[in-house]
Amino acid sequence: MNKLCLILPFFLILFSLFTPLVFSFKNELNYEIIENFNNVPGFYVWNDQIFVVNGSKLYKSSDGENWTFLYDFRGKGQIIAYELFVSSKGYIFVPVDNGTTVPLYRSIDGGSSFQKVFSCEGYNINFSCSWFWRGFTEDEQGNLLFGVYYGPHGAYIPACTPEAFSKPYIWKSSDDGANWVLSFNGTEVNPYLEHVHMVQYDIYTKQIYAVVDWNMSVSKTSIYISQDANNWKLLDTLVRFTTISFDENYMVLGVETPDFYLRVINKYDLTMRKVYMPSDMFESQYTFWVYDLLYVPNLKAHIFGSIIKTDGTKPFMCAYYRGKIIKLFDMPPSYGQNAGIRTVSNRLLNGYIYFVYVNGSTRQLCRFKVTSNDLERLYNYWYPIDPQENLRQQILEWIPVIVMVA
């Protein structure tokens, strides 16, 4: 009996070593398409609900399956936002293109009615709000901030022409969005600054971060920070990037370059490193653009999707996990300018991460689930452990069992 007890652990070690070779393990996750939501310019997860603009109509759901109609924006203009925003009090903010300007509308009754609370009139500019890359945020004091992306109105003007230059402004409200004042004027700081990619509050450092892009001919992006939503200072200037997500110690930057990497910066000593994707994760014709990043604390992972720059290539969902990039799944081939995964939800809802998949004129709402076990499995798939090291770890794990049996 004692001999059997001594031999059994070694058989278990061999089984654990060769099982992955005998059985085929799925190397990507599943995703779901939310039916009838195929014209989604923006959505936002707040508390236990998701708010979605589909076409001109606003809906909400607590499970992503049963939907309640809230409001129709027809008559106010065309929805141009990539993201709507819901404040901590449940007030809903949506920018609406009325054909001349892009005023901001607010609902204080859960979406039953909306009133205009801000317009660019009087500032000598027309603009599209910077909701492309999380351009709206709220700090712990209740200050609301949003940034300006492109102007003049329409923004369909070749970049680097004088007519295309916008005002890299950030506005602030301290009364739940009823009134707005200018918080950051990029043109006074740096004449090369052109538009705001992102404004986000970091719950760990208690600071507001603004990602401000330079003129396209310069191809640089600057990070500005503020602790009070009034005074801003330059943190760093890097090669062009679009967005940031924050964990306890690092900020992860999504790039807008032909290279396949993320930038990871230590928030406290500002040391930086580049994390590249293995070449077997993507097709060679990709240009790797990242427009949204979501940090999931309980998974210790930053989730992000890719934008394709060549028609007919496949965008993919990825995670920055354990210091490396792993691919979660591929999407079908995309077509059109900046097609691919445009928006990733600001938080989880019932374990689901929502996102928008753009293909031509279609903006499809989708979702997926990912667990710690999924991340470990996919990490080991993309970065397999050396067999000798794996054997050593298995032996170390079973030594205490062998000693106890003996």
Side-chain angles (χ1 to χ4, degrees):
M1 182 67 179
N2 286 339
K3 289 183 179 180
L4 177 62
C5 292
L6 289 172
I7 295 173
L8 181 61
F10 291 101
F11 280 106
L12 292 175
I13 293 174
L14 292 173
F15 177 79
S16 63
L17 286 173
F18 290 101
T19 295
L21 301 177
V22 176
F23 298 98
S24 176
F25 288 101
K26 186 173 170 47
N27 62 4
E28 64 177 34
L29 304 180
N30 294 319
Y31 64 90
E32 301 177 33
I33 293 176
I34 308 300
E35 298 294 336
N36 302 317
F37 282 80
N38 55 14
N39 187 16
V40 177
F43 68 91
Y44 196 85
V45 178
W46 177 77
N47 284 356
D48 58 352
Q49 299 176 95
I50 180 171
F51 293 82
V52 178
V53 174
N54 188 43
S56 64
K57 298 179 180 180
L58 177 65
Y59 298 85
K60 73 174 181 178
S61 175
S62 59
D63 58 11
E65 298 176 4
N66 301 286
W67 296 88
T68 301
F69 167 76
L70 297 175
Y71 193 81
D72 193 336
F73 286 92
R74 282 180 296 186
K76 283 184 165 51
Q78 176 187 2
I79 311 299
I80 56 88
Y82 277 88
E83 288 190 64
L84 58 85
F85 181 79
V86 185
S87 71
S88 59
K89 291 186 176 180
Y91 295 173
I92 306 169
F93 295 85
V94 182
V96 181
D97 186 343
N98 63 19
T100 304
T101 60
V102 188
L104 181 67
Y105 284 83
R106 179 187 70 163
S107 174
I108 61 175
D109 57 10
S112 297
S113 64
F114 281 82
Q115 294 76 40
K116 184 169 68 175
V117 292
F118 181 84
S119 175
C120 56
E121 297 170 3
Y123 293 96
N124 297 320
I125 59 167
N126 296 316
F127 64 89
S128 299
C129 294
S130 175
W131 305 51
F132 294 82
W133 301 282
R134 307 194 188 282
F136 208 120
T137 195
E138 180 177 9
D139 66 16
E140 287 190 349
Q141 285 69 48
N143 293 308
L144 300 173
L145 298 100
F146 75 90
V148 174
Y149 184 68
Y150 256 134
H153 170 72
Y156 304 117
I157 300 172
C160 303
T161 63
E163 293 80 10
F165 292 166
S166 63
K167 307 294 185 182
Y169 290 169
I170 296 173
W171 269 273
K172 181 191 78 168
S173 175
S174 299
D175 57 4
D176 299 317
N179 298 281
W180 297 84
V181 297
L182 192 61
S183 171
F184 176 85
N185 185 343
T187 56
E188 294 180 353
V189 175
N190 182 343
Y192 288 101
L193 296 181
E194 185 175 271
H195 50 257
V196 179
H197 269 305
M198 186 204 79
V199 184
Q200 282 295 291
Y201 180 67
D202 181 3
I203 62 173
Y204 302 105
T205 63
K206 313 299 183 184
Q207 295 186 118
I208 305 163
Y209 288 74
V211 175
V212 188
D213 220 10
W214 289 41
N215 183 299
M216 290 289 287
S217 62
V218 181
S219 191
K220 291 183 180 180
T221 304
S222 294
I223 305 173
Y224 290 86
I225 59 173
S226 175
Q227 291 184 320
D228 57 8
N230 293 312
N231 302 291
W232 297 82
K233 69 176 183 179
L234 177 66
L235 180 66
D236 205 349
T237 297
L238 302 164
V239 175
R240 187 179 300 277
F241 65 97
T242 53
T243 188
I244 304 177
S245 61
F246 309 99
D247 60 33
E248 295 83 347
N249 298 304
Y250 297 94
M251 48 185 170
V252 179
L253 281 58
V255 300
E256 191 180 46
T257 73
D259 300 315
F260 295 83
Y261 68 86
L262 298 174
R263 292 189 186 95
V264 180
I265 300 178
N266 186 301
K267 292 189 290 187
Y268 303 100
D269 63 16
L270 298 184
T271 55
M272 183 184 72
R273 66 189 181 94
K274 294 180 180 179
V275 180
Y276 284 87
M277 293 185 67
S279 59
D280 56 349
M281 279 192 191
F282 55 85
E283 299 174 12
S284 59
Q285 65 266 41
Y286 274 117
T287 295
F288 186 56
W289 284 21
V290 176
Y291 281 179
D292 255 345
L293 281 154
L294 166 66
Y295 177 60
V296 185
N298 64 307
L299 298 178
K300 300 295 183 182
H302 298 256
I303 309 298
F304 64 94
S306 73
I307 300 297
I308 62 98
K309 297 301 293 180
T310 304
D311 280 352
T313 54
K314 293 184 295 186
F316 44 84
M317 189 71 73
C318 291
Y320 172 67
Y321 177 69
R322 289 178 53 185
K324 296 183 182 293
I325 297 174
I326 58 176
K327 184 161 67 172
L328 304 181
F329 55 84
D330 282 309
M331 295 296 293
S334 297
Y335 298 85
Q337 183 179 11
N338 293 343
I341 299 172
R342 292 286 307 201
T343 306
V344 178
S345 58
N346 54 297
R347 58 182 295 179
L348 276 65
L349 177 63
N350 300 328
Y352 283 100
I353 297 173
Y354 286 77
F355 65 97
V356 173
Y357 166 65
V358 179
N359 185 11
S361 60
T362 300
R363 304 182 59 84
Q364 182 69 56
L365 184 65
C366 308
R367 67 180 184 177
F368 71 97
K369 279 187 175 182
V370 58
T371 66
S372 296
N373 288 338
D374 292 330
L375 291 174
E376 279 297 309
R377 173 171 54 82
L378 292 171
Y379 182 93
N380 291 329
Y381 172 82
W382 290 108
Y383 304 96
I385 300 175
D386 178 79
Q388 291 184 348
E389 174 64 18
N390 193 17
L391 177 60
R392 187 185 70 85
Q393 291 184 12
Q394 294 288 346
I395 291 174
L396 289 175
E397 290 177 4
W398 280 101
I399 283 177
V401 176
I402 295 171
V403 171
M404 289 180 61
V405 171

